[in-house]
Amino acid sequence: MKIGILTSGGDCPGINATIRGVSKTAIQHFGMEVYGIHSGFQGLLEKDVERFTEKSMSGLLHLGGTVLGTSREKPFKKKKGSDEEDKPALIAQNVNELGLDCLVCIGGNGTQKTAYKLSAMGLNVVSVPKTIDNDVWGTDYSFGFDSAVTIATEAIDRLHSTASSHNRVMVIEVMGHKAGWIALFSGMAGGGDVILLPEFNYDMGHVCDTILERARKGKPYSIVVVAEGIKTDGGGHAGEYIARTIEQQTGIESRETVLGYVQRGGSPTPFDRNLSTRMGGHATELIVNGEYGRMVTLKGSNISSIPLAEVSGKLNLVTPDHDLVVQGKRMGICFG
């Protein structure tokens, strides 16, 4: 068999480990030919591919980013009034001309949607979820999430010392447009006093009362962790808005830190390296068994898969009954 691998969307720790997991399993165990497709779906449109060997996999396990490169190309999204070529048809044609028996698509929600549409066209597709936001539906965790949480937690740990030294409120903005998983997990692990998530409404009066109450109890500094996607009444970063409003309403000096892309860079954690390896290997098993149109998932401690049709258009969001939210509230942490 001959398979192609592409990575699409934002970069993320663990992509290279997944490429390695797929390729080494396919080449060494199943005797397949493996081709890396450069720049996501753009590479499929241009037939920009390279053949992988065992040597190609050296050094990938701990390497951040993606050796294949990535793009935000969405072949099914056509601009109004555009006379662009039929990209999905061109992809199908190129897959056929390259002689690929299956495509392995590694990416987030947009990639899963495209993978499903290609599958519905009749192409053999298997996908692996990739997102630091952990918002792909159908899997408990995606690789990249643990790495991002680890980076964010370390930053929060470091900000505790400067907050206590200056009796300030430190506001840390982490990634998460629609899903607050990074804010929840890093906020809880880092000892946040206030954690604001896009899924939950918040009241700035309540947030400020929480901070003032802490000061009255002899706790002159507070740590506030916010996801970038929370709703704000003002412009600019969410963290900047929250810090400015807290200082205005409480009189306590407040500063914001925006972690930004640092959460997506660098080496994956051991957990993510192992998750990537397992998911990559399972993707290859699906191909061998002819189980196409499926996304690899982690459920509990087991690696399995679900139909792409179930994933497309859905999001994995934090709910009020999540045990970390429930336990946090019991411990007096403010969620807005």
Side-chain angles (χ1 to χ4, degrees):
M1 295 188 76
K2 186 188 289 189
I3 66 172
I5 306 175
L6 64 81
T7 61
S8 183
D11 65 303
C12 169
I15 297 178
N16 287 324
T18 307
I19 294 170
R20 175 181 178 270
V22 173
S23 300
K24 291 196 79 166
T25 308
I27 295 169
Q28 291 189 339
H29 190 68
F30 294 111
M32 297 179 180
E33 287 183 32
V34 180
Y35 288 81
I37 300 162
H38 294 278
S39 304
F41 294 105
Q42 186 64 40
L44 264 185
L45 292 168
E46 300 170 356
K47 288 203 282 192
D48 183 5
V49 304
E50 67 168 305
R51 182 168 179 179
F52 280 157
T53 64
E54 288 181 40
K55 189 176 181 182
S56 307
M57 300 301 105
S58 296
L60 290 192
L61 184 60
H62 66 276
L63 189 66
T66 166
V67 291
L68 286 173
T70 185
S71 71
R72 299 282 187 180
E73 172 62 47
K74 297 177 181 178
F76 288 91
K77 191 171 184 179
K78 201 167 185 178
K79 295 174 184 174
K80 286 185 180 178
S82 171
D83 58 353
E84 284 184 80
E85 60 192 329
D86 187 342
K87 291 181 178 179
L90 181 57
I91 284 176
Q93 177 185 319
N94 289 345
V95 167
N96 184 55
E97 290 178 1
L98 290 166
L100 299 178
D101 296 299
C102 184
L103 281 177
V104 179
C105 301
I106 303 170
N109 286 297
T111 302
Q112 304 306 324
K113 197 171 185 178
T114 301
Y116 166 65
K117 289 181 177 180
L118 290 174
S119 176
M121 285 174 54
L123 293 182
N124 293 337
V125 178
V126 166
S127 73
V128 182
K130 169 232 60 158
T131 167
I132 67 165
D133 288 353
N134 203 44
D135 60 352
V136 174
W137 191 89
T139 184
D140 290 350
Y141 298 108
S142 305
F143 71 81
F145 173 64
D146 185 72
S147 299
V149 168
T150 299
I151 292 164
T153 302
E154 182 181 345
I156 295 168
D157 288 346
R158 291 176 181 274
L159 288 168
H160 270 278
S161 58
T162 191
S164 62
S165 297
H166 295 273
N167 291 339
R168 286 176 177 162
V169 173
M170 297 300 295
V171 179
I172 303 96
E173 180 190 306
V174 299
M175 281 185 162
H177 280 294
K178 295 180 179 178
W181 292 107
I182 296 176
L184 175 61
F185 273 63
S186 65
M188 289 296 292
D193 305 300
V194 177
I195 301 172
L196 303 180
L197 314 178
E199 294 91 336
F200 304 163
N201 292 322
Y202 66 95
D203 179 344
M204 279 308 302
H206 180 54
V207 170
C208 292
D209 285 345
T210 298
I211 290 165
L212 288 170
E213 181 62 24
R214 283 177 51 77
R216 281 192 287 270
K217 290 179 178 178
K219 300 173 181 177
Y221 81 92
S222 294
I223 299 292
V224 180
V225 182
V226 305
E228 64 185 333
I230 64 168
K231 295 180 177 66
T232 63
D233 292 332
H237 286 286
E240 189 276 333
Y241 166 78
I242 296 296
R244 182 179 71 245
T245 306
I246 288 172
E247 185 163 325
Q248 288 172 349
Q249 294 190 16
T250 67
I252 300 173
E253 191 176 15
S254 304
R255 295 288 186 272
E256 82 278 355
T257 296
V258 179
L259 293 188
Y261 290 106
V262 71
Q263 294 160 88
R264 289 219 308 233
S267 297
T269 58
F271 178 88
D272 276 341
R273 295 181 199 190
N274 288 329
L275 179 58
S276 297
T277 299
R278 295 172 69 200
M279 283 187 156
H282 192 76
T284 313
E285 283 185 43
L286 291 175
I287 296 169
V288 170
N289 295 329
E291 297 181 59
Y292 304 122
R294 300 184 72 84
M295 182 187 81
V296 180
T297 64
L298 175 70
K299 285 292 183 183
S301 60
N302 298 319
I303 300 291
S304 57
S305 68
I306 57 173
L308 276 164
E310 293 182 15
V311 179
S312 182
K314 298 177 184 176
L315 286 174
N316 178 37
L317 301 174
V318 180
T319 56
D321 61 350
H322 189 279
D323 57 357
L324 267 183
V325 176
V326 172
Q327 180 60 19
K329 288 179 176 178
R330 288 172 176 168
M331 295 166 63
I333 294 168
C334 171
F335 285 90

